[in-house]
């Protein structure tokens, strides 16, 4: 599946993330919804989910994998990106009427 643009040019001031899209079923087992955040767009696609005990013990369709590695708002201080993510984590991410909340991360997922 090619990626679906949920929102073009997100603003560092956004306070709501609610999207409705037609999602085709995954092509194979182990794939999950991946949402990537960049200054140019918020995009959705399917990706191979990592193997971990949480996903093995629960239904992977209840989770989304998010990526913020390319998110840095131009002409804004780094704090604008930090504040954007904090607002997102507090408000939740809504996709097709389902609310997703921040679950956690491992130390290996943090890059400095």
């Amino acid at each position: 599946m090619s990626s679906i643009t949920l929102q073009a040019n997100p603003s560092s001031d956004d306070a709501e993330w609610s999207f409705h899209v037609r999602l085709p079923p995954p092509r194979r087992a182990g794939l999950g919804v991946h949402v990537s955040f960049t200054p140019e767009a918020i995009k959705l696609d399917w990706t191979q989910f990592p193997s971990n005990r949480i996903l093995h013990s629960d239904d992977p369709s209840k989770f989304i994998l998010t990526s913020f590695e390319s998110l840095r708002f131009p002409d804004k201080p780094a704090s604008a990106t930090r504040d954007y993510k904090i607002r997102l984590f507090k408000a939740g991410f809504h996709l097709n009427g389902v609310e997703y909340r921040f679950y956690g991360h491992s130390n290996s997922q943090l890059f400095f």
Side-chain angles (χ1 to χ4, degrees), residues 14-96:
D14 285 347
E16 184 177 319
W17 296 266
S18 183
F19 307 98
H20 293 277
V21 295
R22 187 167 186 205
L23 269 179
R27 293 184 185 161
R28 65 181 190 272
L31 291 181
V33 174
H34 172 246
V35 179
S36 60
F37 291 79
T38 69
E40 295 77 33
I42 300 172
K43 292 187 175 183
L44 180 146
D45 61 5
W46 291 101
T47 191
Q48 185 69 41
F49 267 9
S51 178
N52 65 47
R53 68 180 184 272
I54 300 300
L55 294 174
H56 283 290
S57 64
D58 210 335
D59 178 3
S61 70
K62 295 180 181 179
F63 297 90
I64 59 172
L65 183 65
T66 56
S67 169
F68 297 99
E69 68 184 280
S70 298
L71 181 63
R72 175 71 199 273
F73 294 103
D75 303 321
K76 300 277 185 178
S79 61
T81 302
R82 179 200 63 215
D83 294 344
Y84 178 91
K85 290 189 263 186
I86 290 170
R87 283 193 310 278
L88 169 63
F89 295 153
K90 288 181 178 179
F93 182 89
H94 298 81
L95 181 62
N96 296 337

Coordinates of all heavy atoms in Angstrom, one line a residue, residues 14-96:
D14 N -1.2 22.8 16.1 CA -2.3 21.9 16.0 C -2.6 21.4 17.4 O -1.7 21.2 18.3 CB -2.0 20.6 15.2 CG -2.0 21.0 13.7 OD1 -2.6 22.0 13.3 OD2 -1.6 20.1 12.9
A15 N -3.9 21.1 17.7 CA -4.4 20.6 19.0 C -5.3 19.4 18.9 O -5.8 18.9 19.9 CB -5.0 21.8 19.8
E16 N -5.6 19.0 17.7 CA -6.5 17.9 17.5 C -6.0 17.0 16.3 O -5.6 17.6 15.3 CB -7.9 18.4 17.1 CG -8.9 17.3 17.0 CD -10.3 17.9 16.7 OE1 -10.7 18.9 17.4 OE2 -11.0 17.3 15.9
W17 N -6.1 15.7 16.5 CA -5.6 14.8 15.5 C -6.7 13.7 15.3 O -6.7 12.7 15.9 CB -4.3 14.1 15.9 CG -3.2 15.2 16.0 CD1 -2.3 15.5 15.0 CD2 -2.9 16.0 17.1 NE1 -1.5 16.5 15.5 CE2 -1.8 16.8 16.8 CE3 -3.5 16.2 18.4 CZ2 -1.3 17.8 17.6 CZ3 -2.9 17.1 19.3 CH2 -1.8 17.9 18.9
S18 N -7.7 14.0 14.4 CA -8.8 13.1 14.2 C -8.9 13.0 12.7 O -9.1 13.9 11.9 CB -10.1 13.7 14.8 OG -11.1 12.9 14.6
F19 N -8.8 11.7 12.2 CA -8.8 11.4 10.8 C -9.7 10.3 10.5 O -9.9 9.3 11.2 CB -7.4 11.1 10.3 CG -6.4 12.1 10.7 CD1 -5.6 11.9 11.9 CD2 -6.2 13.3 10.0 CE1 -4.7 12.9 12.2 CE2 -5.3 14.2 10.4 CZ -4.5 14.0 11.5
H20 N -10.3 10.3 9.3 CA -11.2 9.3 8.8 C -10.7 8.9 7.4 O -10.6 9.7 6.5 CB -12.6 9.7 8.7 CG -13.2 9.9 10.1 ND1 -13.7 8.9 10.8 CD2 -13.4 11.0 10.8 CE1 -14.2 9.4 12.0 NE2 -13.9 10.7 12.0
V21 N -10.2 7.6 7.2 CA -9.7 7.2 5.9 C -10.2 5.7 5.7 O -10.5 5.0 6.6 CB -8.2 7.2 5.9 CG1 -7.6 8.6 5.9 CG2 -7.6 6.3 6.9
R22 N -10.3 5.4 4.4 CA -10.6 4.0 4.1 C -9.3 3.2 4.1 O -8.4 3.4 3.3 CB -11.2 4.0 2.7 CG -11.7 2.6 2.4 CD -12.6 2.6 1.2 NE -13.2 1.3 1.1 CZ -13.6 0.8 -0.1 NH1 -13.5 1.5 -1.1 NH2 -14.1 -0.4 -0.1
L23 N -9.2 2.3 5.1 CA -8.0 1.5 5.2 C -8.2 0.1 4.6 O -9.1 -0.7 5.0 CB -7.8 1.2 6.7 CG -6.9 2.2 7.5 CD1 -6.8 1.8 8.9 CD2 -5.5 2.3 6.8
P24 N -7.3 -0.2 3.6 CA -7.4 -1.6 3.1 C -6.8 -2.5 4.1 O -6.0 -2.1 5.0 CB -6.5 -1.5 1.9 CG -5.6 -0.4 2.1 CD -6.3 0.6 3.0
P25 N -7.2 -3.8 4.1 CA -6.7 -4.7 5.1 C -5.2 -5.0 4.8 O -4.7 -4.8 3.7 CB -7.5 -6.0 4.8 CG -8.0 -5.9 3.5 CD -8.2 -4.4 3.2
P26 N -4.5 -5.4 5.9 CA -3.0 -5.6 5.7 C -2.8 -6.8 4.7 O -3.7 -7.7 4.7 CB -2.5 -5.9 7.1 CG -3.7 -6.3 7.9 CD -4.9 -5.6 7.2
R27 N -1.8 -6.8 4.0 CA -1.5 -7.8 3.0 C -1.0 -9.1 3.6 O -1.1 -10.2 3.0 CB -0.5 -7.3 1.9 CG -1.0 -6.2 1.1 CD 0.0 -5.8 0.1 NE -0.5 -4.6 -0.7 CZ 0.2 -3.8 -1.4 NH1 1.5 -4.1 -1.5 NH2 -0.3 -2.8 -2.0
R28 N -0.4 -9.0 4.8 CA 0.1 -10.2 5.4 C 0.1 -10.0 7.0 O 0.0 -8.9 7.5 CB 1.5 -10.6 4.9 CG 2.6 -9.6 5.3 CD 3.9 -10.0 4.7 NE 5.0 -9.2 5.2 CZ 5.4 -8.1 4.6 NH1 4.8 -7.7 3.5 NH2 6.4 -7.4 5.1
A29 N 0.2 -11.1 7.7 CA 0.2 -11.1 9.1 C 1.4 -10.3 9.6 O 2.5 -10.3 9.0 CB 0.2 -12.5 9.7
G30 N 1.2 -9.7 10.8 CA 2.3 -9.0 11.4 C 2.4 -7.5 11.0 O 3.2 -6.8 11.5
L31 N 1.6 -7.1 10.0 CA 1.7 -5.7 9.6 C 0.7 -4.9 10.4 O -0.3 -5.4 10.9 CB 1.2 -5.6 8.1 CG 2.2 -6.1 7.0 CD1 1.6 -5.8 5.6 CD2 3.6 -5.5 7.2
G32 N 1.1 -3.7 10.7 CA 0.3 -2.8 11.5 C 0.3 -1.4 10.9 O 1.1 -1.0 10.0
V33 N -0.6 -0.5 11.4 CA -0.7 0.8 11.0 C 0.5 1.6 11.5 O 0.8 1.6 12.7 CB -2.0 1.5 11.4 CG1 -2.1 2.9 11.1 CG2 -3.2 0.7 10.8
H34 N 1.1 2.4 10.6 CA 2.3 3.2 10.9 C 1.9 4.6 10.5 O 1.5 4.9 9.4 CB 3.5 2.7 10.1 CG 4.7 3.7 10.2 ND1 5.1 4.4 9.2 CD2 5.4 4.0 11.3 CE1 6.2 5.1 9.6 NE2 6.3 4.9 10.8
V35 N 2.1 5.6 11.4 CA 1.8 7.0 11.2 C 3.1 7.7 11.4 O 3.7 7.7 12.4 CB 0.7 7.5 12.1 CG1 0.5 9.0 11.8 CG2 -0.6 6.8 12.0
S36 N 3.5 8.4 10.3 CA 4.7 9.2 10.4 C 4.4 10.7 10.4 O 3.5 11.2 9.6 CB 5.7 8.9 9.2 OG 5.1 9.1 8.0
F37 N 5.1 11.4 11.2 CA 4.9 12.9 11.3 C 6.1 13.6 10.8 O 7.3 13.3 11.3 CB 4.7 13.3 12.8 CG 3.4 12.8 13.4 CD1 3.3 11.5 13.8 CD2 2.4 13.7 13.6 CE1 2.1 11.1 14.4 CE2 1.2 13.3 14.2 CZ 1.0 12.0 14.5
T38 N 6.0 14.5 9.8 CA 7.0 15.4 9.3 C 6.4 16.8 9.2 O 5.2 16.9 9.2 CB 7.5 14.9 7.9 OG1 6.5 15.1 7.0 CG2 7.9 13.4 8.0
P39 N 7.3 17.8 9.0 CA 6.7 19.1 8.8 C 5.9 19.2 7.5 O 5.0 20.1 7.4 CB 7.9 20.0 8.6 CG 9.1 19.2 9.2 CD 8.7 17.8 9.0
E40 N 6.1 18.3 6.5 CA 5.4 18.3 5.3 C 4.0 17.6 5.3 O 3.1 18.0 4.6 CB 6.2 17.7 4.1 CG 7.5 18.4 3.8 CD 8.6 18.2 4.8 OE1 8.7 17.1 5.4 OE2 9.4 19.2 5.0
A41 N 3.9 16.6 6.2 CA 2.7 15.8 6.2 C 2.6 14.8 7.3 O 3.7 14.4 7.9 CB 2.5 15.0 4.9
I42 N 1.4 14.4 7.7 CA 1.2 13.3 8.6 C 0.7 12.2 7.6 O -0.3 12.4 6.9 CB 0.1 13.6 9.6 CG1 0.6 14.7 10.5 CG2 -0.2 12.3 10.5 CD1 -0.5 15.2 11.5
K43 N 1.4 11.1 7.5 CA 1.1 10.0 6.6 C 0.9 8.7 7.3 O 1.5 8.4 8.4 CB 2.3 9.9 5.6 CG 2.4 11.1 4.7 CD 3.4 10.8 3.6 CE 3.4 12.0 2.6 NZ 4.3 11.7 1.5
L44 N 0.1 7.9 6.7 CA -0.3 6.6 7.2 C 0.1 5.5 6.2 O -0.1 5.7 5.0 CB -1.8 6.5 7.5 CG -2.4 5.3 8.0 CD1 -3.5 5.6 8.9 CD2 -2.9 4.4 6.9
D45 N 0.7 4.4 6.6 CA 0.9 3.3 5.8 C 1.0 2.0 6.7 O 0.7 2.1 7.9 CB 2.2 3.4 5.0 CG 3.5 3.6 5.8 OD1 3.4 3.5 7.1 OD2 4.5 3.8 5.3
W46 N 1.2 0.9 6.1 CA 1.4 -0.4 6.8 C 2.9 -0.7 7.0 O 3.7 -0.4 6.0 CB 0.7 -1.5 6.0 CG -0.8 -1.5 6.0 CD1 -1.5 -1.0 4.9 CD2 -1.7 -1.8 7.0 NE1 -2.8 -1.1 5.3 CE2 -3.0 -1.6 6.5 CE3 -1.5 -2.3 8.3 CZ2 -4.1 -1.8 7.3 CZ3 -2.7 -2.5 9.1 CH2 -4.0 -2.3 8.5
T47 N 3.3 -1.2 8.1 CA 4.6 -1.6 8.3 C 4.7 -2.8 9.2 O 3.7 -3.2 9.9 CB 5.4 -0.4 9.0 OG1 6.8 -0.7 9.0 CG2 5.0 -0.2 10.5
Q48 N 5.8 -3.5 9.1 CA 6.0 -4.7 10.0 C 6.2 -4.2 11.4 O 7.0 -3.4 11.7 CB 7.2 -5.5 9.5 CG 7.5 -6.8 10.2 CD 6.4 -7.8 9.9 OE1 6.0 -8.0 8.7 NE2 5.9 -8.5 10.9
F49 N 5.3 -4.7 12.3 CA 5.4 -4.3 13.7 C 6.6 -5.0 14.3 O 6.9 -6.2 14.0 CB 4.1 -4.7 14.4 CG 3.1 -3.6 14.5 CD1 3.2 -2.4 13.8 CD2 2.0 -3.7 15.3 CE1 2.3 -1.4 13.9 CE2 1.0 -2.7 15.4 CZ 1.2 -1.6 14.7
P50 N 7.2 -4.4 15.3 CA 8.3 -5.0 16.0 C 7.8 -6.2 16.8 O 6.7 -6.3 17.2 CB 8.9 -4.0 16.9 CG 7.8 -3.0 17.0 CD 7.0 -3.1 15.8
S51 N 8.7 -7.1 17.0 CA 8.3 -8.3 17.9 C 8.6 -8.0 19.3 O 9.7 -7.7 19.7 CB 9.2 -9.5 17.4 OG 8.8 -10.6 18.2
N52 N 7.5 -7.9 20.1 CA 7.7 -7.7 21.5 C 6.5 -8.3 22.3 O 5.5 -8.8 21.7 CB 7.8 -6.2 21.9 CG 6.5 -5.4 21.6 OD1 5.4 -5.8 21.9 ND2 6.7 -4.3 20.9
R53 N 6.7 -8.4 23.6 CA 5.7 -9.2 24.4 C 4.3 -8.6 24.4 O 3.3 -9.3 24.5 CB 6.2 -9.4 25.8 CG 6.3 -8.2 26.7 CD 6.9 -8.5 28.1 NE 6.9 -7.3 28.9 CZ 7.9 -6.4 28.9 NH1 9.0 -6.6 28.2 NH2 7.8 -5.4 29.7
I54 N 4.2 -7.3 24.3 CA 2.9 -6.6 24.3 C 2.2 -7.0 23.1 O 1.0 -7.4 23.2 CB 3.1 -5.1 24.4 CG1 3.8 -4.6 25.6 CG2 1.7 -4.4 24.3 CD1 3.2 -5.1 26.9
L55 N 2.8 -6.9 21.9 CA 2.1 -7.2 20.7 C 1.8 -8.7 20.5 O 0.8 -9.1 19.9 CB 2.9 -6.7 19.5 CG 3.0 -5.2 19.4 CD1 3.9 -4.8 18.2 CD2 1.6 -4.5 19.3
H56 N 2.6 -9.5 21.2 CA 2.3 -11.0 21.2 C 1.1 -11.3 22.1 O 0.4 -12.3 21.8 CB 3.6 -11.8 21.6 CG 4.6 -11.9 20.6 ND1 4.5 -12.6 19.5 CD2 5.8 -11.3 20.5 CE1 5.6 -12.5 18.7 NE2 6.4 -11.7 19.3
S57 N 0.9 -10.6 23.1 CA -0.2 -10.9 24.0 C -1.5 -10.2 23.8 O -2.4 -10.4 24.5 CB 0.3 -10.7 25.5 OG 0.5 -9.3 25.7
D58 N -1.5 -9.3 22.8 CA -2.7 -8.5 22.5 C -2.9 -8.5 21.0 O -2.1 -8.9 20.2 CB -2.6 -7.1 23.1 CG -3.9 -6.5 23.5 OD1 -4.9 -6.9 22.9 OD2 -4.0 -5.6 24.3
D59 N -4.0 -8.0 20.6 CA -4.4 -7.8 19.2 C -3.6 -6.6 18.6 O -3.9 -5.5 19.0 CB -5.9 -7.6 19.1 CG -6.4 -7.4 17.6 OD1 -5.6 -7.5 16.7 OD2 -7.6 -7.2 17.5
P60 N -2.7 -6.8 17.6 CA -2.0 -5.7 17.0 C -2.8 -4.7 16.4 O -2.4 -3.5 16.2 CB -1.1 -6.4 16.0 CG -1.0 -7.8 16.4 CD -2.3 -8.1 17.1
S61 N -4.0 -5.0 16.0 CA -4.9 -4.0 15.4 C -5.3 -2.9 16.4 O -5.9 -1.9 16.0 CB -6.1 -4.6 14.7 OG -7.0 -5.1 15.7
K62 N -5.1 -3.1 17.7 CA -5.4 -2.1 18.7 C -4.3 -1.1 18.8 O -4.4 -0.2 19.6 CB -5.6 -2.8 20.0 CG -6.8 -3.7 20.1 CD -7.0 -4.4 21.4 CE -8.1 -5.3 21.5 NZ -8.2 -5.9 22.8
F63 N -3.2 -1.2 18.1 CA -2.1 -0.3 18.2 C -1.7 0.3 16.9 O -2.0 -0.2 15.8 CB -0.8 -1.2 18.7 CG -1.0 -1.8 20.0 CD1 -1.5 -3.1 20.1 CD2 -0.6 -1.2 21.1 CE1 -1.7 -3.7 21.3 CE2 -0.8 -1.8 22.4 CZ -1.3 -3.0 22.5
I64 N -1.1 1.5 17.0 CA -0.5 2.1 15.8 C 1.0 2.4 16.2 O 1.3 2.6 17.4 CB -1.2 3.4 15.4 CG1 -1.2 4.5 16.5 CG2 -2.5 3.1 14.8 CD1 -1.7 5.8 16.0
L65 N 1.8 2.3 15.2 CA 3.2 2.7 15.4 C 3.4 4.1 14.9 O 3.0 4.4 13.8 CB 4.1 1.7 14.7 CG 5.6 1.8 14.8 CD1 6.1 1.6 16.3 CD2 6.3 0.9 13.9
T66 N 4.0 5.0 15.7 CA 4.2 6.3 15.2 C 5.7 6.7 15.1 O 6.6 6.1 15.8 CB 3.6 7.4 16.1 OG1 4.1 7.2 17.4 CG2 2.1 7.2 16.1
S67 N 6.0 7.5 14.2 CA 7.4 8.0 14.0 C 7.5 9.5 13.9 O 6.7 10.1 13.2 CB 7.9 7.4 12.6 OG 9.1 8.0 12.3
F68 N 8.3 10.0 14.8 CA 8.5 11.5 14.8 C 9.9 11.9 14.4 O 10.3 13.0 14.6 CB 8.3 12.0 16.3 CG 6.9 11.8 16.8 CD1 6.6 10.7 17.6 CD2 5.9 12.6 16.4 CE1 5.3 10.5 18.1 CE2 4.6 12.4 16.9 CZ 4.3 11.4 17.7
E69 N 10.7 10.9 13.9 CA 12.1 11.2 13.7 C 12.4 12.3 12.7 O 13.4 13.0 12.8 CB 12.9 9.9 13.2 CG 12.4 9.4 11.9 CD 13.1 8.1 11.5 OE1 14.3 8.1 11.1 OE2 12.4 7.1 11.6
S70 N 11.5 12.6 11.8 CA 11.7 13.7 10.8 C 10.9 14.9 11.2 O 10.8 15.8 10.3 CB 11.3 13.2 9.4 OG 12.2 12.1 9.0
L71 N 10.3 14.9 12.3 CA 9.5 16.1 12.7 C 10.3 17.2 13.4 O 10.8 17.0 14.5 CB 8.3 15.7 13.6 CG 7.4 16.8 14.0 CD1 6.6 17.4 12.8 CD2 6.4 16.3 15.0
R72 N 10.4 18.3 12.7 CA 11.1 19.5 13.3 C 10.5 20.6 12.4 O 10.7 20.7 11.2 CB 12.6 19.4 13.1 CG 13.3 20.7 13.6 CD 13.2 20.9 15.1 NE 13.5 22.2 15.5 CZ 14.6 22.8 15.7 NH1 15.7 22.1 15.6 NH2 14.7 24.0 16.1
F73 N 9.7 21.5 13.1 CA 9.1 22.6 12.4 C 10.1 23.6 12.0 O 10.8 24.1 12.9 CB 7.9 23.2 13.3 CG 6.8 22.2 13.5 CD1 6.7 21.6 14.7 CD2 5.9 21.9 12.5 CE1 5.7 20.7 14.9 CE2 4.9 21.0 12.7 CZ 4.8 20.4 13.9
P74 N 10.1 24.0 10.7 CA 11.1 25.0 10.3 C 10.8 26.3 10.9 O 9.6 26.7 11.1 CB 10.9 25.0 8.7 CG 9.6 24.3 8.4 CD 9.3 23.5 9.6
D75 N 11.8 27.1 11.1 CA 11.7 28.5 11.6 C 11.1 28.5 13.0 O 10.5 29.5 13.4 CB 11.0 29.4 10.7 CG 11.6 29.4 9.3 OD1 12.9 29.4 9.3 OD2 10.9 29.4 8.3
K76 N 11.1 27.4 13.7 CA 10.5 27.3 15.1 C 11.6 26.7 16.0 O 12.4 25.9 15.6 CB 9.3 26.4 15.1 CG 8.1 26.9 14.3 CD 7.3 27.9 15.0 CE 6.1 28.2 14.1 NZ 5.3 29.2 14.8
P77 N 11.6 27.1 17.3 CA 12.6 26.4 18.2 C 12.2 25.0 18.4 O 11.0 24.5 18.2 CB 12.4 27.2 19.5 CG 11.0 27.8 19.4 CD 10.8 28.0 17.9
A78 N 13.2 24.2 18.9 CA 12.9 22.8 19.2 C 11.8 22.6 20.1 O 11.1 21.6 20.1 CB 14.2 22.1 19.7
S79 N 11.5 23.5 21.0 CA 10.5 23.4 22.0 C 9.1 23.4 21.3 O 8.2 22.8 21.9 CB 10.5 24.6 23.0 OG 10.3 25.8 22.3
A80 N 9.0 23.9 20.1 CA 7.7 23.9 19.4 C 7.3 22.4 19.0 O 6.2 22.0 19.1 CB 7.7 24.7 18.1
T81 N 8.4 21.6 18.6 CA 8.1 20.2 18.3 C 7.8 19.4 19.6 O 6.9 18.6 19.6 CB 9.4 19.6 17.6 OG1 9.6 20.4 16.4 CG2 9.2 18.2 17.2
R82 N 8.5 19.7 20.6 CA 8.3 19.1 21.9 C 6.8 19.3 22.4 O 6.1 18.4 22.8 CB 9.3 19.6 23.0 CG 9.0 18.9 24.4 CD 9.7 19.8 25.5 NE 9.0 21.1 25.5 CZ 9.7 22.2 25.8 NH1 10.9 22.2 26.1 NH2 9.0 23.3 25.9
D83 N 6.4 20.6 22.3 CA 5.1 21.0 22.8 C 4.0 20.3 21.9 O 3.0 19.9 22.4 CB 4.9 22.5 22.8 CG 5.8 23.2 23.8 OD1 6.3 22.5 24.7 OD2 6.0 24.4 23.7
Y84 N 4.3 20.2 20.6 CA 3.4 19.6 19.7 C 3.1 18.1 20.1 O 2.0 17.6 20.2 CB 3.9 19.6 18.3 CG 3.1 18.9 17.2 CD1 2.2 19.6 16.4 CD2 3.3 17.6 16.8 CE1 1.5 19.0 15.4 CE2 2.6 17.0 15.8 CZ 1.7 17.7 15.1 OH 1.0 17.1 14.1
K85 N 4.2 17.4 20.4 CA 4.1 16.0 20.8 C 3.4 15.9 22.1 O 2.6 14.9 22.3 CB 5.5 15.3 20.8 CG 6.1 15.2 19.4 CD 7.3 14.3 19.5 CE 8.6 15.2 19.5 NZ 9.8 14.4 19.4
I86 N 3.7 16.7 23.0 CA 3.0 16.7 24.3 C 1.5 16.9 24.2 O 0.7 16.1 24.8 CB 3.6 17.7 25.3 CG1 5.0 17.3 25.7 CG2 2.7 17.9 26.5 CD1 5.8 18.4 26.5
R87 N 1.1 17.8 23.3 CA -0.4 18.0 23.1 C -1.0 16.8 22.4 O -2.1 16.4 22.8 CB -0.6 19.3 22.2 CG -0.4 20.6 22.9 CD -1.0 21.7 22.1 NE -0.5 21.8 20.7 CZ 0.7 22.3 20.4 NH1 1.5 22.8 21.3 NH2 1.1 22.3 19.1
L88 N -0.2 16.2 21.5 CA -0.7 15.0 20.8 C -0.9 13.8 21.8 O -1.9 13.2 21.9 CB 0.2 14.6 19.7 CG 0.0 13.2 19.1 CD1 -1.4 13.1 18.4 CD2 1.1 12.9 18.1
F89 N 0.1 13.6 22.7 CA 0.0 12.6 23.7 C -1.2 12.8 24.6 O -1.8 11.8 25.1 CB 1.3 12.4 24.4 CG 2.5 12.0 23.6 CD1 3.8 12.4 24.0 CD2 2.3 11.3 22.5 CE1 4.9 12.0 23.2 CE2 3.4 10.9 21.7 CZ 4.7 11.2 22.1
K90 N -1.4 14.0 25.0 CA -2.5 14.3 25.9 C -3.9 14.2 25.2 O -4.9 13.7 25.8 CB -2.4 15.7 26.5 CG -1.3 15.8 27.5 CD -1.2 17.2 28.1 CE -0.1 17.3 29.2 NZ 0.0 18.7 29.7
A91 N -4.0 14.7 24.0 CA -5.3 14.7 23.3 C -5.6 13.3 22.7 O -6.8 13.0 22.5 CB -5.2 15.7 22.1
G92 N -4.6 12.5 22.3 CA -4.8 11.3 21.7 C -4.9 11.4 20.2 O -5.1 12.5 19.7
F93 N -4.7 10.3 19.5 CA -4.7 10.3 18.0 C -6.0 9.5 17.7 O -6.2 8.4 18.1 CB -3.5 9.6 17.5 CG -3.4 9.5 16.0 CD1 -2.8 10.6 15.3 CD2 -3.9 8.4 15.3 CE1 -2.7 10.5 14.0 CE2 -3.8 8.4 14.0 CZ -3.2 9.4 13.3
H94 N -6.9 10.1 16.9 CA -8.1 9.4 16.5 C -8.1 9.0 15.0 O -7.9 9.9 14.2 CB -9.3 10.4 16.8 CG -9.4 10.8 18.2 ND1 -8.6 11.8 18.8 CD2 -10.2 10.3 19.2 CE1 -9.0 11.9 20.1 NE2 -9.9 11.0 20.3
L95 N -8.4 7.8 14.8 CA -8.4 7.2 13.4 C -9.7 6.4 13.3 O -9.9 5.4 14.0 CB -7.2 6.4 13.2 CG -7.0 5.8 11.8 CD1 -6.9 6.9 10.7 CD2 -5.8 4.9 11.7
N96 N -10.5 6.9 12.4 CA -11.8 6.2 12.1 C -12.6 5.9 13.3 O -13.2 4.9 13.6 CB -11.5 4.9 11.3 CG -10.9 5.1 10.0 OD1 -11.0 6.2 9.4 ND2 -10.2 4.1 9.5

